[in-house]
Amino acid sequence: MKKLILLPLLLLALFSCKDKNAAPNSDTTKSETVSSADRFKSGIFEIPAGQGYEKTIVIRQDSIQIEKYEDRIDTLSISWKNNFNYTLKMLNPKTAIDEDPIHIKITSIKEDSYEFEAVIGNSNYVQKGEITKKSN
């Protein structure tokens, strides 16, 4: 019985992050998908306005992420668990909620963007969005 429960969970974990550019029967290997996800670890990005977000410019370099939106600039540390999961932590929190880490899961990859799910701290609320890479 345990095997019947574990197998679907394992399959879900394996296929939860996919490259939308790969054709269903293409020769894209897992390592190519991983390297394509790796390209989002640094550069200049944009989160468009809408879906709970203001237009946000994101600059990533090494372990730092700078976010510019409205009249604010926030600096966060970024820690990559793997190519599809990372955690953001505000370096200078101004409120109690700013002290909680933000857990990001990349759910799908396109040519120059990816869709993500974000969870603040241990919340059950999941915020979805898309981020586009503008330059290296």
Side-chain angles (χ1 to χ4, degrees):
M1 182 67 173
K2 287 183 182 179
K3 290 180 183 178
L4 289 175
I5 295 172
L6 289 175
L7 183 60
L9 291 175
L10 181 60
L11 291 173
L12 178 65
L14 287 173
F15 295 107
S16 65
C17 188
K18 61 183 185 240
D19 189 338
K20 285 190 176 179
N21 285 330
N25 295 319
S26 75
D27 293 331
T28 302
T29 65
K30 184 175 181 179
S31 64
E32 288 171 334
T33 301
V34 168
S35 65
S36 68
D38 195 48
R39 72 180 182 269
F40 296 113
K41 290 186 176 182
S42 64
I44 299 173
F45 304 83
E46 181 181 306
I47 301 174
Q51 299 180 3
Y53 294 97
E54 296 295 325
K55 179 180 174 183
T56 304
I57 302 298
V58 175
I59 302 167
R60 286 189 191 144
Q61 186 174 4
D62 299 322
S63 63
I64 298 294
Q65 175 165 307
I66 299 169
E67 298 181 359
K68 299 177 182 182
Y69 58 98
E70 294 178 339
D71 293 334
R72 292 183 60 172
I73 297 176
D74 290 329
T75 304
L76 305 100
S77 65
I78 184 168
S79 173
W80 289 86
K81 182 176 180 181
N82 56 44
N83 284 323
F84 301 104
N85 295 280
Y86 58 94
T87 302
L88 298 170
K89 182 98 172 135
M90 193 80 69
L91 291 182
N92 298 303
K94 295 171 182 65
T95 66
I97 199 160
D98 287 347
E99 294 178 6
D100 289 337
I102 304 166
H103 305 284
I104 309 291
K105 177 182 177 181
I106 298 174
T107 56
S108 66
I109 297 172
K110 299 177 185 173
E111 186 173 327
D112 63 349
S113 66
Y114 63 85
E115 293 177 1
F116 64 88
E117 295 178 349
V119 176
I120 298 175
N122 294 318
S123 167
N124 290 326
Y125 178 72
V126 177
Q127 177 71 42
K128 296 181 179 187
E130 185 170 353
I131 187 167
T132 302
K133 187 165 188 174
K134 295 299 184 179
S135 68
N136 291 326

